[in-house]
Every structure is written in structure tokens, then in C-alpha cells.
Amino acid sequence: MATPSAPQLTIGEAAGYAGVTVRAVRHYHQRGLLPEPPRDASGYRRYGTQDIIDLIRIKALSQAGVPLARVGELLHADPGEFAVAVAEIDVKLQEEIRRLETHRLAVAQLASGDGLALPVEVVDYLDLLRGLGLSERIVTIERDGWLLVTAQVPDQVREWIAGKVEAMHDPMFIRMYRAVDEAIDCQPDDPRLEQIADDLASLFGQYSGGETDADAPLDDTLVAMLDAQTIGSSAGWRHLALLLEQRGWTGWTNPESTGTNASEHRAPG
Amino acid sequence: MATPSAPQLTIGEAAGYAGVTVRAVRHYHQRGLLPEPPRDASGYRRYGTQDIIDLIRIKALSQAGVPLARVGELLHADPGEFAVAVAEIDVKLQEEIRRLETHRLAVAQLASGDGLALPVEVVDYLDLLRGLGLSERIVTIERDGWLLVTAQVPDQVREWIAGKVEAMHDPMFIRMYRAVDEAIDCQPDDPRLEQIADDLASLFGQYSGGETDADAPLDDTLVAMLDAQTIGSSAGWRHLALLLEQRGWTGWTNPESTGTNASEHRAPG
DNA sequence: TTGCTCCTCACGTCACGTGAGGTGGC
DNA sequence: TTGCTCCTCACGTCACGTGAGGTGGC
């Protein structure tokens, strides 16, 4: 009793006392983190107290996000190295937490269905369009347009959307959007298209279009994608574009008509 | 111009506009998340606008921590299913953030070198021992003992350590610890051991040992491990145990002598 | 012609999980 | 004898990364 005999645990017992799985212990042997203990007559590994302590420390480091490759070094590092490594680990954990918190915010927005990969401002703008009574179809088209633009130039989007929201206080803009919305489901021979084209041509004439800027021009390919996504998605819109051209308008690529903002950043036709 | 032609992007261009890698796009095809687009004359995949939008949405969901297996369902889910799934994702993200924050705290403690897998209270207690001038060797032995106990019964440790801290206000306890510390590096024939054994026997006699409790008894194997880790680690201690037995003491397994708390939870021998 | 992109396998990463097939211990 | 643990391969997981070896496009 004066010299207590150290217990020789099997791998399952050792794993249990350390709070890890049997497979994890074998894995640590394979990775060289924990030396293979002696075997008994049956070929079973037999673990001592120090092995359990090492297992607990390996588990703690690993759970703190330290890759096993570094755990090996750290187990036998002096306090100086250890402190440096710990500082690095803390920075990584901080970054990871910030990343997840950002994603949580994104996911919360995402509950609305729109917020997926879109800034809050854009989601609010889309809700504004809904509030004006515009159809889900046109809102979806707007949303997809903004998805494309946001993926490309995320930083500019906030400014652009501010301009759009302001424009939406102008009753003329609202009338234009409603007219375009009405056109979306028209057949090309629908007589309403002629009336809508007349209205739009008149509205466009009143609007001098001074908001064009070229801070971050979108490249031609992206503009073509946006056009395809907007005009190309509706036979009514395609025909409306033709009618507007007949009235001297230079095409859908003008800002107020497409419902996306891409064209605002090209000089009017 | 009235009917803009949709651009047909190569895989590299598509990946670029969506902000993912070329390999990721091929992977999404393989997983069935994104249908294979048509090929051109050279066998190159050619992507349209909707593909880019889908890629952006896949990326957003994936980055939010949604496994690709679920991304597939969610891409075409109705708003109800989507909302439920989003709520689940948010819960997972919250858990993950909490887990990482806990680990950050652990890692911060870990900077001291001790805090690895130990509660703050234990670290403070170890610092208290250092403050009393005890050697690093005995502090390390204490630490490893607490590591073993904490891995086993983490909830009880806080109470136990409170009792230990209180006991350390008793000068008798401090003298015992210092005597035991002095013995650690003694050869078995060191004459000081006799003196230390006399002192300890005297101290033990004064101490009635009323703090034993059995709230969460440690199993025999764990106690044996603790004994091996403490007494077994020093020839001086092993001999001191013998000398104490000669003085009628029942062994190291009595609480005040080992420096670990395990034995406090067994009835004195 | 050079350099870049594209193509299809197919193995590597990371920390283990999970059988597959067999043997020892109580 | 049954059931549990142990043993050693060795493939599977997850979301791609990274060559390997070859061809098309500008």
C-alpha cells in the first residue's frame, strides 16, 4: 500500500477516463501524438496514468481548434512557445466566431426568403416594391438582378440602392414600375402594350436621367446577363422594348425601365 | 438589341461571377445541386444567367453552414419549408458560436499553461500554491491530479476546490504542504525524511479530518491512478509513505498528504 | 508557338467513424 | 457458451484541393 501499483488500463478504459473514443486514441497513436503503450500477453495495449493525462491534454487542445499536427508540438513546448501558439489560436477562434456571427445575421435575413446573399438594404428595397403593390414576379426578377450585381461589386450596392429608394418617392417612378409590371404577362399582340409604351415614352421624356454615374461600371458581360434576366424573361417585355424603340427610345438598357439598376451605370444610348 | 442575347459563359467565367472556384462548380454538378449545362463544340460547359444566380444561392447557403445535401432541397423549397430549415440552421450556428466562445475562454486560461481542460477555480488554486512558495514540481503533480478528476466529475470540482482553498488559510495545512514538497527530491536514505515524517505524523494527529464526503465518490481505478501519479512519482515520497506507516499512519491515501483531493472522498483508513 | 483554359479521372485532406473478419477475457 | 472488448486492415465522411495527362482557343 505504501507503493501503490499503477493501474494498467485497456484502451477502452483509458478512452473513457479521458473522455475520448477508442478510435481517437488509436488515431493519436497513428499520428504519433501519443506513443504506443506496452502490450499485455493478449496483445492488448495497456495504459498508465500519464497516458490518460496526455489524452486529456490532447483532447483539450484539439477541441480548442488546434490541428493535430500542432498539438504534437504544443504538448512538449516550453511556456514561451506555448504562449505564442495560444495567442495564434485565440486569433483564429475570434475570426471564426466573427465569421459565424456574420452568417447568423445573413441567415436571419434569409428567413424572409430574399436575404440570401443580399445586403439588408436590398431586402428593404424589395419589400418597398412589394408595399407598392408590384407583383412577386417582378420583385423576383429585381432580386436576381441584385444578386448578380452584389456578387460582383458588393461595396457599391448600398449607395445604388439608396438612390433607388429615393427615386421611389417620385410618383412618376412608381407609375413606370406599375406599367412595366402590367406588361410582363402580356402577349406580344396585347393592345395594352401600345398604351403602356405611350405612357412610358411620355414619362421617359419628362425624366432627364441625370443620375448616371460610372463609379464602378459593370462589365459588358454582366450587363448582358442582367438584360437576359430581365427583358429576356418575358415576351411582353420583349415586345414592349420594340414598341419603345419605335417611339424613339434607345432600348431597355435605359435605367428606369428594366427594374434593375445595371444600366444606370452606362451612358444612356 | 430589343431581344438581348444571353451570354454563354465558360466554367471559369461562371465561377468568377458567382465567387466560387471552378472545382466547386464541378463538385456541385457531381452532387446534383446544379444541372450540367449544355456543351459547346469543344466540349466546354456553357453557363447562362440563371446558372450564375443558382451558384450564388448555393454558395450563400453553403457558407451559412448548410450541408450540401440540404442545399439541394432548400434551393427549390417553398417558403414554409425554407423558414423551418432556416430556423434549424440558426440554432446550429448559435450552438457553434457558443461552443467556440467557450473554447476561447478555455484557450485564454490556457495561456497560463495550466488552464488546459481545467476550470478557472483550479487554476486559481494552483496559483495560490505557487504564491505559497511551493515548487513547480508539486504544482504540476497537483495539476495533473485535477486534470484526471475534472475529466471524470467536472461538476463536483468547483466545490472541492473551494474546500481546498479554505483549508489553505490554515497554517498547519501550509506547513504540511511545504514538508511534503521538501520530501519530493529526497533520496530514500535522506535523514530529513525522518524529521519530515515526525512533523507530518504530529500534524496529522492534530487534524481530525472532518471534511470527508461521498457526494461523488471516485472509483477505485481513478484513485489508484491518482496515487500512482502522486506517491509513485517520487522515491522520496514512496519512502516517506513507509516512514509514516511506521508511525501508525495508514498511508498516502489520507487526504492531507498526497496533494491531490481524490482521497478526501474515501473514508480515512 | 506560347500560355491560359478547358476536359476527365483519381488521389489527398482532416479527424476520425464504421464496418469486416477474427480473437481474447469474464 | 454468450456478449463484450480487443486486434488490424481498410474504406467512408465532407467539400472540395491538387496534381496527372491531355486537348482546345486566342
Side-chain angles (χ1 to χ4, degrees):
Chain A
M1 185 81 192
T3 303
S5 61
Q8 297 300 111
L9 307 181
T10 67
I11 194 169
E13 292 165 336
Y17 281 112
V20 300
T21 67
V22 168
R23 181 63 175 94
V25 177
R26 293 206 185 99
H27 186 63
Y28 299 151
H29 289 320
Q30 213 176 320
R31 293 291 307 259
L33 287 181
L34 188 70
E36 285 274 359
R39 308 277 180 134
D40 66 14
S42 304
Y44 290 13
R45 295 174 180 87
R46 290 294 177 170
Y47 295 86
T49 309
Q50 189 59 49
D51 295 319
I52 315 302
I53 290 164
D54 287 345
L55 276 174
I56 292 169
R57 303 187 73 211
I58 291 170
K59 181 198 176 193
L61 284 167
S62 178
Q63 283 201 340
V66 183
L68 290 188
R70 296 214 60 191
V71 170
E73 311 160 18
L74 287 185
L75 277 181
H76 307 293
D78 64 54
E81 298 170 321
F82 199 81
V84 170
V86 160
E88 282 175 33
I89 293 164
D90 190 58
V91 168
K92 277 194 185 177
L93 282 177
Q94 246 179 300
E95 285 171 5
E96 182 69 4
I97 288 171
R98 274 188 59 83
R99 209 179 59 82
L100 289 179
E101 277 169 348
T102 304
H103 285 159
R104 256 201 90 194
L105 290 176
V107 167
Q109 285 294 330
L110 184 150
S112 76
D114 289 331
L116 198 59
L118 282 179
V120 188
E121 290 89 340
V122 175
V123 175
D124 291 345
Y125 168 71
L126 295 175
D127 286 338
L128 173 61
L129 295 187
R130 287 193 185 91
L132 292 172
L134 295 172
S135 71
E136 272 304 310
R137 270 194 72 177
I138 202 169
V139 172
T140 299
I141 288 168
E142 277 263 338
R143 185 197 67 187
D144 288 345
W146 287 103
L147 271 178
L148 285 169
V149 175
T150 301
Q152 207 59 21
V153 285
D155 295 336
Q156 275 72 30
V157 163
R158 282 159 212 271
E159 302 168 32
W160 295 355
I161 212 76
K164 295 289 281 186
V165 169
E166 199 174 348
M168 276 299 158
H169 289 114
D170 182 343
M172 183 186 77
F173 253 86
I174 299 174
R175 284 209 307 280
M176 284 199 292
Y177 258 84
R178 290 197 171 129
V180 169
D181 195 6
E182 199 183 339
I184 192 172
D185 283 325
C186 291
Q187 299 296 323
D189 58 356
D190 193 309
R192 284 177 299 172
L193 285 178
E194 297 279 348
Q195 180 64 45
I196 292 170
D198 286 341
D199 290 350
L200 284 175
S202 164
L203 286 168
F204 290 168
Q206 294 166 36
Y207 185 73
S208 59
E211 65 177 65
T212 300
D213 76 56
D215 270 359
L218 299 169
D219 68 45
D220 291 345
T221 303
L222 189 60
V223 170
M225 286 199 288
L226 288 165
D227 283 347
Q229 188 62 17
T230 54
I231 312 173
S233 69
S234 153
W237 281 1
R238 285 196 297 270
H239 192 67
L240 185 56
L242 274 175
L243 296 178
L244 281 167
E245 282 182 23
Q246 289 166 10
R247 282 156 182 77
W249 197 249
T250 48
W252 279 104
T253 50
N254 193 283
E256 298 79 15
S257 52
T258 62
T260 78
N261 69 321
S263 313
E264 290 170 23
H265 300 273
R266 291 178 293 164
Chain B
M1 184 81 194
T3 304
S5 61
Q8 296 301 108
L9 307 181
T10 66
I11 194 170
E13 292 165 336
Y17 281 111
V20 301
T21 67
V22 167
R23 181 64 175 96
V25 177
R26 293 206 186 99
H27 186 61
Y28 299 150
H29 289 319
Q30 213 176 320
R31 294 291 307 259
L33 287 180
L34 188 69
E36 286 273 359
R39 308 278 179 134
D40 65 15
S42 304
Y44 289 14
R45 295 174 180 88
R46 289 294 176 169
Y47 295 86
T49 309
Q50 190 57 50
D51 295 320
I52 314 303
I53 291 165
D54 288 345
L55 277 174
I56 291 170
R57 303 187 73 210
I58 292 170
K59 181 197 175 192
L61 284 167
S62 177
Q63 284 202 337
V66 182
L68 290 190
R70 296 215 60 192
V71 170
E73 311 159 18
L74 286 185
L75 277 181
H76 307 293
D78 65 54
E81 298 170 322
F82 199 82
V84 171
V86 160
E88 282 175 33
I89 293 164
D90 191 57
V91 168
K92 277 193 185 175
L93 282 176
Q94 246 179 302
E95 285 172 4
E96 182 68 7
I97 288 171
R98 274 188 58 83
R99 211 180 57 83
L100 289 179
E101 275 168 352
T102 304
H103 285 158
R104 255 202 89 193
L105 290 176
V107 167
Q109 286 293 331
L110 184 152
S112 77
D114 288 332
L116 198 59
L118 282 179
V120 188
E121 289 89 340
V122 176
V123 176
D124 291 345
Y125 168 72
L126 295 175
D127 286 338
L128 173 62
L129 295 186
R130 288 193 185 91
L132 292 172
L134 295 172
S135 72
E136 271 307 309
R137 269 196 73 177
I138 202 168
V139 172
T140 298
I141 287 168
E142 277 264 340
R143 185 198 67 188
D144 288 346
W146 286 104
L147 270 178
L148 285 169
V149 175
T150 300
Q152 208 58 21
V153 285
D155 294 337
Q156 275 72 29
V157 163
R158 282 158 211 272
E159 303 168 30
W160 296 355
I161 212 74
K164 294 291 281 185
V165 169
E166 198 175 348
M168 276 301 159
H169 289 115
D170 182 344
M172 183 187 77
F173 252 86
I174 298 174
R175 285 208 307 281
M176 284 199 293
Y177 259 85
R178 289 200 171 126
V180 169
D181 194 7
E182 199 182 339
I184 193 173
D185 282 324
C186 292
Q187 299 296 324
D189 58 356
D190 192 310
R192 285 176 300 171
L193 284 179
E194 299 278 348
Q195 181 64 44
I196 292 171
D198 286 341
D199 290 349
L200 283 175
S202 163
L203 286 168
F204 290 167
Q206 294 167 37
Y207 184 74
S208 60
E211 65 177 66
T212 299
D213 77 56
D215 269 358
L218 299 169
D219 69 43
D220 291 346
T221 304
L222 189 61
V223 171
M225 285 199 287
L226 288 166
D227 284 347
Q229 187 62 19
T230 53
I231 311 171
S233 69
S234 153
W237 280 1
R238 285 196 296 270
H239 192 69
L240 186 55
L242 275 174
L243 297 177
L244 281 166
E245 281 183 21
Q246 289 167 10
R247 283 156 181 78
W249 198 248
T250 48
W252 279 104
T253 50
N254 194 282
E256 298 79 15
S257 52
T258 63
T260 80
N261 69 319
S263 312
E264 289 169 22
H265 301 272
R266 290 178 293 165

